[in-house]
Amino acid sequence: MPKPSKVQLFHTCIINEVYPEVGLAVVNVLERLDIAVEVPLNQTCCGQPAFNGGFHADARKVARLTVDILSATKGPIIIPSGSCGDMLTHQYHMLFADEPAYLEKSHALSERCHEFSMFLVDVLGIRDLGAHLRASGPGVAAPKSAYHPSCHLLRGLGAKSQPQTLLAQVKGLACAEVKDQEECCGFGGMFSVKNSAISGAMLENKMRNLEASGAETVISCDMGCLLHLAGGLHRKGSTLKVKHLAQVLDEGMSGR
Amino acid sequence: MSHFLDRVETALRDPDLKTALGRATERLGSRRSVSLDSLPDSDAVRDMARRAKLGLLRDLAGNLETFEKNLIKNGVQVHWAEDGAAANRIMVDIAKSRGCKRAVKSKSMATEETHLNHDLLEAGLEVLETDLGEYIVQLAETTPSHIILPIIHMTKESIGKVMHEKIKVPYTSDPEKLAKIARAKLREAFLSADLGITGANFGVVDSGALVLVSNEGNARLVTTLPRVHVAVMGIEKLVPSLSDLDLMIKILARSATGQKITTYTSLVTGPRREGEADGCQEMHVILLDNGRSRILGGPLAEILGCIRCGACLNACPVYKNVGGHAYGDTYPGPIGSIVTPGLRGIKAWKELPDASSLCGACRDVCPVRLDIPRMLLELRKQAVDEASIPWALRIGLWGFGVAASRPWLYRAGAGLFRWASGLMAKSGWIRKLPGLAAGWTRSRDLKAPAPKSFQELWRQRPVRPAPAGKEAAPVR
């Protein structure tokens, strides 16, 4: 695909409500690449909470709105989340199995949907954005960061290397090795509420491994996982910070 | 049975369990990947195995008919059992009419499913599990907690204690000594048993052969030493031909234990024939439905392609934390979360499909690529449609659907939550959520919504000049 001059942003509900700075970072990175960003207003949520809970009728209402709003736009749709990206590209087909009109629309839509890191690497063919993080002082070692591959991005969308490829090119950033890196953090949407004890145990394992890696920051492409991790880290008073990949790239590109 | 969350709490409080599970599943997981890498074209083999299994299921009735014909041709007597009680009744009838008194068993999850041992004991028969793990489980009067490692939940110390208490041998925690003691006990039993009971890993349609794979070799003794052999197998355990069996054998042990092949692979093709040196005098196969044909007709049909390797258990972060007993029935882990509600109905088992973060690790490792997350989602839908779901949750998600499909209402709701969370939050974090959401704040804080949403900030952003030669500024 030739580089598009314009993309649509599906900003996800967690970014909209809790982490708006991540949305802005995504926009900044794309605009620095001379890509204009449009935000289809009136978008709400992809409907995943209801869908994963088994409430298909309720999820369908939300999904129809999302399909309608996004179908009315043109160009690639950028989704800064593996989870919502997987929902839009794969799960809508299951949801609309008995609704041919929307099934067809959602198939067309899934062709246009791209998770943020996959868009940069697979569509634009970018490996190095020239991002450079400045050391916090002279003689200070580069901060170590840990990458957390979110399950839906890794296994749902099959992004096995794209975020790591981009991170590896950020100068002034060292990547930490994390034990059981590909294991789920235990969020799983309503899973964290309905099965809070198991979810808590999974979170505990994940935090222990992240802290043992010596990283200062956990970087991921899903604010769902990061909301969950940040909540656990805050509860235990950890100094480990969480960041979306877009924030790291944005900071690096602005020379911060 | 619906005390899943209670069983989880108990499991999570057991530090030994977590240690035992963590070590074993990690070892199995890494062996699995090394071993699969050693198989040339492992991806293609998995695809072919999947095709063979699912293709067979499409005409299961026809395949069963052919299989039955070939079994009979081999001199095997065939019985059909609609449910567990029927299977057990058939077994007891065979035992009694043949004057059998002592049964030895090996390799059978199907009889775990039907609680056969209970019925045999009730009918006055002695019954002994001969696979080491199952033997310990039987002594401890509990149930297996893993498909291939039934006592994955026990430490060697607790095994030593059970053997000391139940068979009065001196206490030891040395695994080798324990295995030796058990082996001596079991050898006696093999020689005095008159009924051998097994399951079957596979039934080969075109030859009527029963396939048993094992590492201990007990299955061979159970099928050959006693004068009567009865195999109980689920009706789905068929493979079309020996060349398909080859695919299954290639991936089964690799996925299960990380071995290229198990120590023993036995193909049983009927009772002893004239002039043969060993084998039973009489052989029966009980084909067990017990809910399988109901699964076959529905959206979970592909679960019947499961070859019971246990790889999904070892990969599952939920299983690794809670162990097999939390799942409450014969089949634990991700596969159990589908098989159990599938066989027994969603109503009494609606918690199981929720016991997953849908991380997809199970689908990644499944040798026949079963789409386990999809089936879990399907079952969650069935639970909502058919089982009793808390009203608060129902109303909550109905409200979500109504609001999130009307942007103005959604914004109003988000604004309301922003306001309410402002009251609940301290320096941007909520430590305790009320009602249904309380589960979240049990083990983590919740970051409060930002003062302004992304869309609000977006609207307030100064308009940027269009890049030279490009179209107009980003549309707001």
Side-chain angles (χ1 to χ4, degrees), chain B residues 274-286:
Chain B
E274 274 208 25
E276 284 180 350
D278 49 26
C280 59
Q281 292 165 22
E282 208 179 293
M283 182 176 162
H284 301 256
V285 168
I286 302 175

Side-chain angles (χ1 to χ4, degrees), chain A residues 5-6 9 11 13 15-24 27-28 31 34 36-45 47-56 58-62 65 69 91 94 151-152 154-156 160 179-180 183-184 186-205 207-208 224 227-228 230-232 234-236, chain B residues 4-5 8-9 12 18 26 315 317-318 320-322 351 354-361 363-364 374 377-378 380-382 384-385 389 393-394 397-408 410-411 414 418 427 429-432 436-450 452-459 461 464 467 470-476:
Chain A
S5 61
K6 185 176 81 178
L9 177 65
H11 51 56
C13 55
I15 288 179
N16 193 48
E17 307 302 340
V18 188
Y19 294 102
E21 64 274 20
V22 172
L24 295 176
V27 173
N28 287 343
E31 287 185 345
D34 277 343
V37 179
E38 290 185 357
V39 178
L41 297 173
N42 286 339
Q43 57 175 294
T44 58
C45 166
Q48 202 171 166
F51 176 70
N52 281 1
F55 294 84
H56 286 211
D58 301 309
R60 223 172 275 130
K61 285 183 212 154
V62 185
L65 172 83
I69 285 178
Q91 313 292 17
M94 182 171 171
C151 301
H152 283 89
L154 176 71
R155 304 194 186 94
K160 298 202 191 305
K179 182 174 180 271
D180 294 335
E183 192 146 308
C184 177
F187 176 41
M190 295 219 303
F191 172 74
S192 57
V193 175
K194 274 188 168 178
N195 280 291
S196 59
I198 309 174
S199 168
M202 288 161 67
L203 174 62
E204 198 58 51
N205 297 342
M207 290 192 297
R208 194 182 323 112
L227 180 76
H228 183 238
H234 187 262
R235 171 68 58 94
K236 71 187 285 203
Chain B
F4 174 72
L5 292 177
V8 163
E9 297 287 346
L12 289 175
K18 186 161 184 162
E26 188 172 329
V318 173
K320 279 190 236 185
N321 276 291
V322 302
E351 288 94 348
D354 280 335
S356 164
S357 62
L358 301 176
C359 77
R363 180 178 51 201
D364 258 21
R374 180 193 64 76
L377 284 164
E378 174 62 38
R380 290 181 186 186
K381 175 172 163 279
Q382 285 184 16
V384 169
D385 293 346
I389 298 289
L393 189 64
R394 240 178 235 283
L397 282 157
W398 172 81
F400 165 79
V402 169
S405 56
R406 290 168 181 76
W408 63 272
Y410 183 77
R411 274 195 290 273
R418 189 162 278 129
S427 21
W429 292 88
I430 302 167
R431 288 193 63 88
K432 207 168 165 56
L436 281 181
W440 176 278
T441 42
R442 176 178 156 158
S443 42
R444 65 233 113 190
D445 296 332
L446 180 67
K447 195 169 188 303
K452 284 183 179 176
S453 72
F454 170 74
Q455 288 211 0
E456 285 174 77
L457 294 176
W458 177 253
R459 285 195 182 90
R461 224 168 71 119
R464 296 198 161 192
K470 297 282 180 331
E471 59 183 274
V475 176
R476 296 294 148 89

